[in-house]
Amino acid sequence: MTTDFIQSSFAERIGGKKFGQDTTLYKFEKIKRAKAAAKKENPNTELIDMGVGEPDWMAEKEIVDTLYQEAKKPENRFYADNGIQEFNNAAANYMAEVFGVTDLDPQTEVNHSIGSKPALAMLPSAFINPGDITIMTVPGYPVMGTHTEWLGGETVNLPLLKENNFLPDLSSLTEEQKEKAKLLYLNYPNNPTGATAGREFFEQVIEFAKENNIIVVHDAAYAGLVFDEQEPLSFLSLPGAKEVGIEIQSLSKSFNMTGWRLAFVVGNDRLVNAFATVKDNNDSGQFRAIQKAGIYALEHPEITEKTAEKYSRRHEMLVDALQDIGFKAKKPKGSFYLYVEIPSATADGDEFNTAEDFSQFLIKEKLISTVPWDDAGNFVRFSVTFEADDKEEERKIIQTIKNRLAETDFIF
Ligand SMILES: Cc1ncc(COP(=O)(O)O)c(C=O)c1O
């Protein structure tokens, strides 16, 4: 039987006739292969993985117990469709308690989602016609841009530059781009830069959105994970935000629940309704028992605070270690990402023209895995989500990183 008809059936959006035959290695595959090779060559040295974008802790025992209890109840077995009202109520209370957003109607302004990734994937279907623009930021989480393009829309990528504190420069958009733009995607605390946005920035965003009739989608996946002088900040806590936008809150990182798949879209009622309509045509909702475990989580924001304390402590240790070696590392105010500018070379003659070069060097020569970003400057991202049972172990791991790096003379 010939399979040619299969090869010629793939849609252009996934590569058309060439789907599956592309031999280009993408970033994460390159990292994976380099890690496997380094481990094989150095079987007695532990590879320290600072590249993982997921919490090292599992969900609290009480959350797991709630799932266990609720999973046994026959009334939880049905399709959940657009979600259970109790979850929306808990989400609205959480927004009030953690972010001071007190004016939410849990009937019309909240809708659960099976994680924020599918919400980002579905939102363009509610707004993007061919030729419409979604404004994205780079480096960043690309899902909304990908789906915009799959629908025949276009993306405009605004660079997140160090000199602008990793905030996009909205004034760099042309009149035509602003005219065609329907959606503006923002994410603070930001993956991968770790940058946080302040109230002034969100105020500018709201003014920009009103002036240009652009809908704001704020991806708040790390919103609860802040430290030092940074208070948890929701886009929706700003006056006027609900007139122009929505926020996506996720339980993945805040409650160590990545695999559970639970998030919610919150904000402007008509935007939430548009999302719910698209969602209803994509999935049948998250398992009610998981939503109920999610309610327990949302009622216990101290879990997020405890998690944030751990990341804050690890960031401090890592920043100190990297600074001692000569890196210009600066502790972020949120997220578990430390985004560090690469050195240009080593005194031994290794040159790093890209972050990818440097990240490969770190894996091969130092058995330290990071994620490189070359979209706007050359940076590597360390995640402080490495596996360590206690502070002592954390200290040991950071000390090992420091010792390994200190053996080389880096040129910055
Ligand atoms: C910025 C950002 N948005 C969304 C997600 C996806 O989160 P979820 O687990 O809620 O789908 C991630 C996950 O890494 C992320 O970094």
Side-chain angles (χ1 to χ4, degrees):
M1 191 176 95
T2 172
T3 53
D4 280 350
F5 86 94
I6 290 179
Q7 200 57 45
S8 56
S9 297
F10 299 118
E12 294 303 327
R13 67 176 69 88
I14 63 162
K17 288 189 182 66
K18 294 197 179 122
F19 172 73
Q21 297 179 341
D22 187 354
T23 51
T24 322
L25 286 184
Y26 291 99
K27 183 160 81 181
F28 288 98
E29 184 56 31
K30 273 191 199 163
I31 294 173
K32 203 167 126 191
R33 291 190 187 196
K35 272 162 62 176
K39 275 190 203 166
K40 205 169 159 195
E41 257 184 49
N42 307 274
N44 300 320
T45 313
E46 193 190 344
L47 186 137
I48 302 176
D49 200 340
M50 305 291 284
V52 185
E54 298 200 47
D56 52 310
W57 280 349
M58 71 176 278
E60 295 300 279
K61 178 181 181 304
E62 292 78 4
I63 298 176
V64 178
D65 286 347
T66 308
L67 170 62
Y68 179 57
Q69 295 307 329
E70 295 296 332
K72 287 188 276 191
K73 296 182 182 166
E75 68 268 26
N76 285 333
R77 73 185 187 280
F78 303 106
Y79 290 127
D81 297 330
N82 271 337
I84 56 172
Q85 191 54 44
E86 302 97 290
F87 180 80
N88 293 354
N89 298 346
N93 289 339
Y94 171 80
M95 292 301 291
E97 187 175 344
V98 176
F99 302 102
V101 182
T102 51
D103 61 343
L104 291 167
D105 179 349
Q107 299 280 347
T108 56
E109 294 176 338
V110 185
N111 203 101
H112 95 293
S113 161
I114 307 180
S116 40
K117 188 176 187 179
L120 292 166
M122 288 176 210
L123 279 165
S125 291
F127 304 103
I128 299 298
N129 290 321
D132 290 343
I133 284 180
T134 295
I135 303 162
M136 300 290 294
T137 56
V138 284
Y141 196 71
V143 173
M144 221 171 84
T146 304
H147 283 267
T148 295
E149 288 170 8
W150 284 5
L151 293 164
E154 291 164 30
T155 50
V156 172
N157 290 323
L158 295 179
L160 300 183
L161 300 168
K162 186 179 164 193
E163 53 267 33
N164 202 27
N165 297 318
F166 304 111
L167 299 170
D169 177 6
L170 298 172
S171 69
S172 66
L173 293 160
T174 65
E175 287 308 315
E176 195 197 345
Q177 287 170 335
K178 287 189 275 192
E179 186 61 38
K180 288 165 76 180
K182 282 252 185 89
L183 299 172
L184 166 62
Y185 169 81
L186 296 169
N187 159 232
Y188 290 98
N190 181 259
N191 174 11
T193 67
T196 42
R199 300 186 76 86
E200 322 76 62
F201 173 71
F202 281 143
E203 273 160 18
Q204 283 169 26
V205 167
I206 293 165
E207 201 181 304
F208 168 86
K210 285 186 178 167
E211 245 171 54
N212 297 290
N213 300 323
I214 294 172
I215 293 161
V216 179
V217 176
H218 182 234
D219 176 347
Y222 303 88
L225 294 171
V226 287
F227 16 85
D228 300 338
E229 70 270 35
Q230 183 79 34
E231 288 291 311
L233 180 64
S234 162
F235 172 67
L236 296 172
S237 67
L238 277 292
K242 217 163 64 169
E243 290 159 39
V244 296
I246 45 176
E247 183 158 87
I248 309 176
Q249 288 278 347
S250 173
L251 280 72
S252 288
K253 316 290 164 84
S254 301
F255 296 100
N256 305 309
M257 292 173 73
T258 41
W260 296 57
R261 315 309 304 132
L262 193 56
F264 59 92
V265 174
V266 55
N268 183 283
D269 59 347
R270 282 180 295 155
L271 301 180
V272 170
N273 187 31
F275 166 69
T277 302
V278 175
K279 183 185 170 300
D280 206 24
N281 283 285
N282 274 277
D283 64 59
S284 300
Q286 182 52 279
F287 182 31
R288 288 160 196 241
I290 289 183
Q291 291 188 54
K292 290 188 177 166
I295 294 173
Y296 180 93
L298 293 172
E299 287 172 349
H300 292 84
E302 71 279 5
I303 297 170
T304 312
E305 286 167 22
K306 188 173 78 175
T307 310
E309 257 170 49
K310 173 188 65 175
Y311 296 141
S312 173
R313 180 177 70 230
R314 291 178 176 192
H315 270 309
E316 244 151 59
M317 288 192 255
L318 182 59
V319 164
D320 280 351
L322 292 174
Q323 282 178 349
D324 282 352
I325 308 289
F327 286 87
K328 281 186 245 131
K330 192 170 161 230
K331 186 186 176 195
K333 295 196 181 97
S335 85
F336 43 63
Y337 300 121
L338 181 66
Y339 190 63
V340 188
E341 224 164 341
I342 65 162
S344 58
T346 68
D348 299 334
D350 301 283
E351 278 190 24
F352 309 123
N353 293 316
T354 62
E356 193 159 306
D357 289 349
F358 181 58
S359 137
Q360 289 285 318
F361 172 90
L362 284 182
I363 297 174
K364 284 184 197 141
E365 306 297 329
K366 305 288 175 190
L367 280 99
I368 299 169
S369 176
T370 59
V371 179
W373 301 88
D374 287 303
D375 307 71
N378 312 106
F379 292 78
V380 287
R381 189 192 77 182
F382 291 79
S383 295
V384 292
T385 50
F386 53 87
E387 301 259 351
D389 288 340
D390 53 31
K391 288 180 205 171
E392 202 34 54
E393 207 178 320
E394 288 172 2
R395 209 164 289 131
K396 268 194 212 150
I397 291 170
I398 305 274
Q399 189 60 43
T400 307
I401 293 176
K402 187 173 167 181
N403 294 346
R404 289 186 194 174
L405 293 176
E407 284 165 11
T408 300
D409 214 351
F410 290 105
I411 300 165
F412 292 93

